Amino acid sequence: MNKNETQNEMPIISQEELESLKQGLPQVPWIDNNFELINNQGVWIPESFLARILLIQRHFLARDSDLIITGIQKTGTTWLKSLLYTIVNRAIYPINQNPLLKNHPQELVYNLESDIYGEAFAYPRPQHLVELPSPRLLSTHLPYTSLPESIRTSNCRLLYICRNPLDTLTSLFHFAMSYLKNTNSKELLRFEDLFDDFCAGRTIHGPFFEHVITYWKMSLEYPEKVLFLKYEDLKDDPKHYLKRVAEFIGMPFTPFEESQSVIDQIIEFCSFGNMKELEVNKSGVINKFFEKKSFFRKGEVGEWRNYFTPPMVEKITKLMEEKLEGTGLSFKLVP
Ligand code: A3P
């Protein structure tokens, strides 16, 4: 435990401070007229997240042993949660006793802004963070530049996952539709509108490319701090990337484990087909509005082809080329 943890009392953000901060911040409706995104520190966030993010930035104290999954929504963070949880706990729970059989991955790897500092306080409240055993498995969708200082300066490790923007957007469209249904929204979300917003950078925790590129650069500069993963790579060669994850977190698979097919068992257990079929992932909601099953939809590479018109493909391909030029980063768009 970090020796300062217990001294770090939960600060309160007053309504006045919040209102004065909000004044002057760009604000746009997104997905429906009741949902506002505001631009704070160059990042588009739901209006209700402003207080939480300030709390995280002021209050959260990372431990050197923390393992934090990061990534923009719908890039495979739930999958990475299942994998990381199973890899870290493999010596404690055999696969047939894995707590993921009874808990949704979101319930075992807490998201800072939704689960811990969110209004619902669905899981441990912030003060319970100090009681979590090490290594704590946490997640955040925050861009690198918005992370609290203690995450950036401690030796905690970040596992970033990204996905090609076309499939990310397709997945986001379905997720947003499911959310709107659960909030009884009367409005019909149009894919074209979500696409236009996305291309203009207006997406949750966007701009998308800035989010990805910043973590990409950090992973190149500090490979022991940031592991950069791609959804499509994990699909293509899960064994290779599971080994990378295990090495990165300092828990490499032993030759004995390899000979016992432990890696293959983890891949199979956390596979889309297996996770989607678990009873625990089929019904119920998370954080009030998100159906557990909506985190397991198709799990494919290239599904965007059913949604993007040729002009949309042209526009986003051009944008991608512009943004990624000179970065050495590229995305696989089809299986
Ligand atoms: P689709 O909507 O394209 O199916 P996130 O977890 O970041 O919200 O991302 C959700 C996306 O990851 C969804 O994509 C979901 O189906 C997919 N996904 C969830 N679990 C998966 C798994 N075990 N393997 C592969 N993809 C998975």
Side-chain angles (χ1 to χ4, degrees):
M1 183 189 292
N2 181 326
K3 64 180 177 346
N4 292 322
E5 276 182 26
T6 49
Q7 297 159 28
N8 196 18
E9 294 298 325
M10 175 80 165
I12 304 290
I13 296 187
S14 71
Q15 206 50 39
E16 287 88 340
E17 182 184 5
L18 207 55
E19 288 310 320
S20 97
L21 275 168
K22 271 188 201 163
Q23 271 178 16
L25 293 183
Q27 195 156 347
V28 289
W30 184 68
I31 70 173
D32 87 349
N33 277 324
N34 295 317
F35 196 108
E36 298 279 335
L37 286 182
I38 57 172
N39 193 291
N40 178 49
Q41 302 165 339
V43 184
W44 289 103
I45 53 167
E47 194 200 344
S48 61
F49 275 38
L50 182 59
R52 311 169 187 198
I53 291 173
L54 291 173
L55 279 177
I56 294 171
Q57 290 173 341
R58 293 177 190 178
H59 179 259
F60 179 74
L61 272 180
R63 290 181 195 160
D64 287 341
S65 54
D66 285 345
L67 301 174
I68 306 178
I69 290 175
T70 61
I72 220 159
Q73 276 88 345
K74 313 326 291 172
T75 55
T77 53
T78 310
W79 186 16
L80 188 54
K81 284 181 180 189
S82 320
L83 290 169
L84 182 67
Y85 184 87
T86 307
I87 292 172
V88 168
N89 291 296
R90 67 189 191 269
I92 305 174
Y93 305 113
I95 290 282
N96 63 1
Q97 288 169 28
N98 190 320
L100 281 163
L101 291 165
K102 299 220 171 92
N103 299 272
H104 191 281
Q106 309 286 347
E107 294 168 323
L108 294 175
V109 180
Y110 305 121
N111 178 271
L112 289 178
E113 44 291 10
S114 301
D115 303 329
I116 294 179
Y117 291 88
E119 282 150 30
F121 289 131
Y123 305 113
R125 288 166 183 269
Q127 53 268 42
H128 294 165
L129 272 175
V130 296
E131 290 159 18
L132 290 178
S134 295
R136 295 185 300 189
L137 309 187
L138 300 167
S139 82
T140 177
H141 295 299
L142 291 178
Y144 191 84
T145 46
S146 300
L147 292 176
E149 195 178 332
S150 78
I151 293 188
R152 289 189 269 142
T153 55
S154 72
N155 289 327
C156 74
R157 271 164 281 192
L158 300 170
L159 295 96
Y160 186 79
I161 183 155
C162 71
R163 186 180 192 185
N164 82 58
L166 290 79
D167 280 324
T168 303
L169 186 62
T170 305
S171 182
L172 181 65
F173 175 64
H174 288 280
F175 195 71
M177 296 268 274
S178 159
Y179 168 83
L180 291 176
K181 192 175 118 231
N182 291 337
T183 53
N184 296 319
S185 170
K186 302 275 177 293
E187 289 170 56
L188 193 65
L189 176 64
R190 288 168 10 120
F191 186 75
E192 303 87 283
D193 294 337
L194 199 66
F195 171 82
D196 286 341
D197 278 339
F198 187 90
C199 290
R202 290 187 303 267
T203 189
I204 187 161
H205 295 113
F208 175 89
F209 290 103
E210 278 70 0
H211 200 289
V212 175
I213 291 168
T214 314
Y215 277 104
W216 168 246
K217 288 186 175 160
M218 292 311 294
S219 76
L220 296 179
E221 203 169 335
Y222 303 103
E224 69 298 338
K225 171 87 182 166
V226 183
L227 178 68
F228 191 93
L229 298 162
K230 295 184 201 170
Y231 183 95
E232 297 79 17
D233 289 346
L234 265 176
K235 277 263 176 197
D236 277 350
D237 193 353
K239 199 163 189 169
H240 173 77
Y241 289 98
L242 253 66
K243 285 189 192 176
R244 287 276 302 273
V245 168
E247 280 161 19
F248 176 74
I249 64 173
M251 300 175 78
F253 293 104
T254 61
F256 178 72
E257 284 180 311
E258 290 212 38
S259 73
Q260 297 298 301
S261 305
V262 169
I263 309 177
D264 296 318
Q265 285 167 23
I266 296 175
I267 292 171
E268 175 51 29
F269 179 72
C270 297
S271 68
F272 179 78
N274 189 52
M275 283 286 140
K276 189 179 166 81
E277 288 310 315
L278 292 178
E279 280 310 313
V280 64
N281 295 329
K282 283 186 179 171
S283 60
V285 289
I286 288 189
N287 288 332
K288 286 201 254 182
F289 301 118
F290 302 106
E291 285 185 85
K292 290 186 179 177
K293 65 179 182 207
S294 67
F295 289 87
F296 305 94
R297 200 182 55 85
K298 286 260 164 104
E300 289 172 4
V301 176
E303 203 217 346
W304 59 268
R305 289 173 292 187
N306 298 327
Y307 294 85
F308 281 66
T309 60
M312 283 177 172
V313 176
E314 196 184 328
K315 181 171 172 179
I316 200 158
T317 310
K318 208 164 152 238
L319 182 66
M320 194 155 53
E321 282 167 7
E322 272 168 33
K323 295 284 183 183
L324 300 184
E325 196 188 350
T327 62
L329 179 62
S330 60
F331 288 111
K332 185 176 168 185
L333 299 183
V334 286

